[in-house]
Amino acid sequence: MAFIANDEAKFCRYIQHCSSIIRDWFVAMDYICCFPNFSTHLVMKKAIAYIMVVVVLLTIGGLGFAIYNKMLKAEEISERIRELRNFELNRLYKGNDSELSKTSYSTILTYFHTECRFCQSEIKDMQTHESLSQSAEIVLVSDESQSVIRSFVQNFDIDTTKFKIVLDKEQTIKQHFGVSSVPVTFVYDRDSLLIQSFKGETKASVLYDLIK
């Protein structure tokens, strides 16, 4: 991310330059005030107008940099998640393995929150779609506490033989995938290449159509 740091340095120099211009302007105003017969009203109007222009330019520059930085971050995440990376998983219910890695199946990873009704609806729909769990490895990830997730699994009668329930305590997976809202779902093919990602509730039939 050296290029982002470099852009931040440029932006800081831009702010310093604008601040220097404003400071020099006030110094000039003090100097002008020393002369007789000058129009205080006119000078102040020009000073205010100049300052307003500088403030607007600073605001536009700041917003532009923020948007640009956000775009760069989105591109970085997009490149990072293009292929499914091997993760050591903190599984609440032990199965055959404790890794998120290449398999002979497609992989569906859903980041959720137990109190999110859209997450609840999506997971319920996944459970009732028999073909989906038979055709893909389904991984449900949350950064909530172990007790909260266990209670959720029990209350919604989730079949832990069909789903990998993963605790992301350190938010490693969350940061890797750039998760900012839930539910969010990532669908990978048998070669662990990203097919598509979804923000918001996604129907199991839509997911199945991508991997069948």
Side-chain angles (χ1 to χ4, degrees), residues 29-178:
M29 290 300 99
D30 289 339
Y31 180 74
I32 292 173
C33 289
C34 295
F35 291 92
N37 302 322
F38 77 97
S39 175
T40 303
H41 181 66
L42 178 61
V43 171
M44 291 308 298
K45 283 181 66 176
K46 288 184 177 181
I48 292 171
Y50 187 82
I51 291 171
M52 288 180 65
V53 169
V54 172
V55 169
V56 170
L57 289 174
L58 283 170
T59 303
I60 293 174
L63 289 174
F65 177 77
I67 293 171
Y68 176 64
N69 199 21
K70 188 174 182 179
M71 290 173 60
L72 287 178
K73 186 176 180 180
E75 288 179 6
E76 180 195 3
I77 292 172
S78 178
E79 178 66 24
R80 191 167 64 218
I81 67 174
R82 186 175 58 179
E83 185 172 1
L84 188 62
R85 179 186 138 187
N86 185 15
F87 281 99
E88 289 290 334
L89 303 178
N90 183 6
R91 294 187 62 181
L92 298 188
Y93 303 88
K94 300 303 180 183
N96 296 327
D97 64 83
S98 296
E99 291 186 345
L100 179 60
S101 56
K102 292 184 177 180
T103 67
S104 57
Y105 295 94
S106 298
T107 300
I108 297 173
L109 185 148
T110 297
Y111 212 101
F112 75 101
H113 192 282
T114 58
E115 295 182 355
C116 165
R117 62 187 181 90
F118 299 108
C119 302
Q120 296 169 3
S121 179
E122 180 172 338
I123 293 171
K124 282 182 181 178
D125 194 31
M126 285 181 177
Q127 283 204 102
T128 57
H129 198 296
E130 289 294 331
S131 298
L132 184 65
S133 60
Q134 294 172 0
S135 305
E137 182 176 57
I138 303 175
V139 184
L140 304 180
V141 187
S142 177
D143 59 0
E144 295 172 276
S145 69
Q146 184 174 144
S147 60
V148 168
I149 299 174
R150 284 188 181 276
S151 178
F152 172 79
V153 170
Q154 183 177 358
N155 292 338
F156 285 84
D157 196 26
I158 296 175
D159 188 346
T160 58
T161 64
K162 294 181 179 179
F163 296 83
K164 282 185 176 180
I165 314 297
V166 176
L167 173 61
D168 188 27
K169 185 177 180 180
E170 304 298 328
Q171 299 189 340
T172 304
I173 298 175
K174 185 175 188 177
Q175 293 175 12
H176 177 79
F177 285 91

